[in-house]
Amino acid sequence: MSAVPKKPCLKGLKGNDTLDISLREKYNVPKGMLIAKYKDWKDLNILVDDYVSKSLTLVPAKDFFSLLTLNLSKIVEMKSDLRNLQLLSSCAQSIQSFIKNSSVKEELLGIYQRAELKRRAEIAGEETGILLSERGALIYQNEVREEIRDFRVGTKRSLRLRS
């Protein structure tokens, strides 16, 4: 196992800036990928949490890693005379080298797997809640129909619907 490298620095890039929409669209960066402030790109937890919480599709950990490095490569390879974009490219290259280190990659994959499991459990819980609500609504609907039917045929003098 290789030693953990030093975390990358911004190399003059403004840390509170983010990847703007025009660049995201131009380079087809997926929803949830690299949305944090530049200063947070070196934080593996933030990279993972942003993707897992905002992405429409969860992918296996190795695919996430490939997707992340692919999108960093797009930024590294962009050509521009603008100083800020050159700094962004340099920062992305530094982040890419950092996460490709075997111990950092292993840590990143572990963080992603835990976050993915947690998100999938949340999704399953939400789906279960929806199904239980629908089931309860159907049961109540049937009870109301029975009350109405009984009232119409005269076996009940008044409707007592629960609230």
Side-chain angles (χ1 to χ4, degrees):
M1 183 185 289
S2 58
V4 177
K6 229 170 79 173
K7 286 197 174 186
C9 64
L10 295 173
K11 301 181 179 185
L13 188 64
K14 292 180 183 174
N16 285 325
D17 288 350
T18 59
L19 194 59
D20 68 44
I21 290 175
S22 63
L23 287 174
R24 297 184 69 75
E25 289 174 354
K26 181 177 180 180
Y27 293 101
N28 199 25
V29 178
K31 183 175 182 176
M33 182 69 57
L34 301 172
I35 59 174
K37 295 176 181 176
Y38 296 142
K39 68 181 179 181
D40 294 328
W41 283 13
K42 61 187 170 191
D43 186 320
L44 303 178
N45 289 299
I46 291 174
L47 287 174
V48 168
D49 288 343
D50 283 347
Y51 181 77
V52 169
S53 66
K54 307 270 188 304
S55 176
L56 300 176
T57 308
L58 293 177
V59 296
K62 288 183 179 180
D63 293 346
F64 168 76
F65 183 80
S66 297
L67 192 59
L68 179 58
T69 55
L70 171 72
N71 284 283
L72 285 167
S73 291
K74 292 176 187 177
I75 296 168
V76 168
E77 294 166 5
M78 69 181 171
K79 304 292 183 224
S80 177
D81 293 333
L82 298 175
R83 173 103 173 110
N84 197 45
L85 293 181
Q86 291 171 350
L87 292 172
L88 176 58
S89 176
S90 177
C91 176
Q93 186 170 24
S94 177
I95 301 287
Q96 189 176 39
S97 296
F98 175 70
I99 65 170
K100 283 185 174 181
N101 173 276
S102 61
S103 59
V104 175
K105 179 180 178 180
E106 186 177 316
E107 181 182 356
L108 178 65
L109 293 174
I111 292 168
Y112 181 84
Q113 288 169 338
R114 288 186 296 278
E116 178 193 14
L117 284 174
K118 180 181 176 190
R119 182 65 187 132
R120 288 190 190 281
E122 289 169 354
I123 291 168
E126 291 166 4
E127 290 171 349
T128 300
I130 291 168
L131 291 173
L132 289 172
S133 295
E134 289 174 351
R135 175 104 170 113
L138 288 173
I139 290 170
Y140 181 64
Q141 180 183 29
N142 289 335
E143 289 174 3
V144 168
R145 284 185 178 152
E146 281 182 36
E147 288 276 332
I148 293 170
R149 184 183 42 104
D150 290 347
F151 179 75
R152 285 185 179 156
V153 295
T155 58
K156 286 202 169 186
R157 293 182 177 220
S158 65
L159 291 175
R160 288 190 331 234
L161 303 177
R162 62 182 169 148
S163 54

